[in-house]
Amino acid sequence: MSRNAQPDFEAQCSVRRYSGEHHAHEHGFAQILYALDAFVDSACGIVIPAGAGHGYCAERSARILVIDAPDQPGLARLRRFAVPEPWRARTLAPQAVAARVAAVLQAPAVLARRRIDLDGLRQQVQPALHQDWPTARLAALCHLSAQRFHARLLELTGRTPQAWLRELRLDHAARLLARGQPLETTALACGYASASALAYALRRERGVGARALRAG
């Protein structure tokens, strides 16, 4: 069990306000989230399972209703769900939290309105890994806003856009190093500012050094 797990607690609800920041984390309990503001995609919510690494980038002044819920089978997979109109009209009274969790367990899934072609996206990004790829640029390739692209890629892959991009870069770096390409050249080809930055990323994300990859 995660060291942050909280196995025995009642579901709790809060309204959280954001100011355009981006964060990534994970926790040992499930979360149910949906927006209370019309300028955010409030027609659907998302279930984040316990232990699932996830990130968010909320619109400035966005208000998100967040339910922290105990880990349970119905909340064990990442999914989007339809949010009934009355839910978006007001915040949630404390005594209604358990009922809302039960309703989410029965809520129908929502299909993404625009499909993300992962293979096509990879083919467009792969030849230009040396370039900057902010989330908005990745989203534009899929004809989505940065916020919707972030949510849909997270649902599809379990990774944020930048985590997905990092995997792509490190996979390519591993292949180049295995072919004997120097670390500095590999770093620049894969979008890292220096050999030390790539070496650090390999150790942190893959638990392996560049020398071991070249030797393999």
Side-chain angles (χ1 to χ4, degrees):
M1 180 178 292
S2 166
R3 63 182 179 182
N4 296 321
Q6 300 181 27
D8 298 312
F9 72 99
E10 293 184 356
Q12 302 175 19
C13 175
S14 61
V15 175
R16 303 181 188 177
R17 291 171 170 80
Y18 299 98
S19 56
E21 70 270 29
H22 173 268
H23 289 292
H25 59 253
E26 63 181 68
H27 34 67
F29 49 87
Q31 279 189 328
I32 299 167
L33 306 91
Y34 60 88
L36 298 175
D37 300 292
F39 62 84
V40 181
D41 186 1
S42 58
C44 63
I46 190 167
V47 173
I48 306 293
H54 58 282
Y56 63 85
C57 182
E59 291 278 1
R60 188 172 298 277
S61 301
R63 295 183 308 126
I64 309 295
L65 188 139
V66 180
I67 299 175
D68 295 333
D71 187 19
Q72 54 190 288
L75 303 178
R77 63 183 180 87
L78 185 74
R79 66 183 179 92
R80 295 167 65 222
F81 62 90
V83 177
E85 180 65 32
W87 291 17
R88 304 195 294 272
R90 58 184 179 275
T91 58
L92 192 61
Q95 63 270 23
V97 175
R100 186 61 50 86
V101 172
V104 168
L105 296 179
Q106 303 300 320
V110 174
L111 296 177
R113 283 159 289 186
R114 188 181 294 275
R115 176 175 172 267
I116 293 179
D117 180 358
L118 275 181
D119 288 338
L121 182 63
R122 189 179 297 109
Q123 289 171 14
Q124 293 182 81
V125 174
Q126 186 81 45
L129 287 173
H130 60 285
Q131 299 178 8
D132 290 334
W133 283 100
T135 298
R137 185 183 179 191
L138 293 170
L141 295 178
C142 300
H143 307 288
L144 290 167
S145 69
Q147 292 79 13
R148 290 184 179 180
F149 175 76
H150 184 284
R152 293 176 191 178
L153 190 71
L154 182 61
E155 178 186 9
L156 185 61
T157 69
R159 294 185 177 89
T160 66
Q162 292 306 309
W164 177 85
L165 177 63
R166 186 164 56 249
E167 287 291 308
L168 205 63
R169 283 176 161 153
L170 292 178
D171 285 345
H172 189 50
R175 288 192 295 269
L176 294 178
L177 290 170
R179 296 173 193 162
Q181 182 162 294
L183 183 60
E184 183 70 35
T185 305
T186 298
L188 296 177
C190 295
Y192 288 90
S194 65
S196 59
L198 173 57
Y200 175 76
L202 285 168
R203 288 194 299 271
R204 181 189 63 194
E205 302 293 334
R206 303 289 174 87
V208 65
R211 182 176 300 176
L213 289 172
R214 285 198 296 266

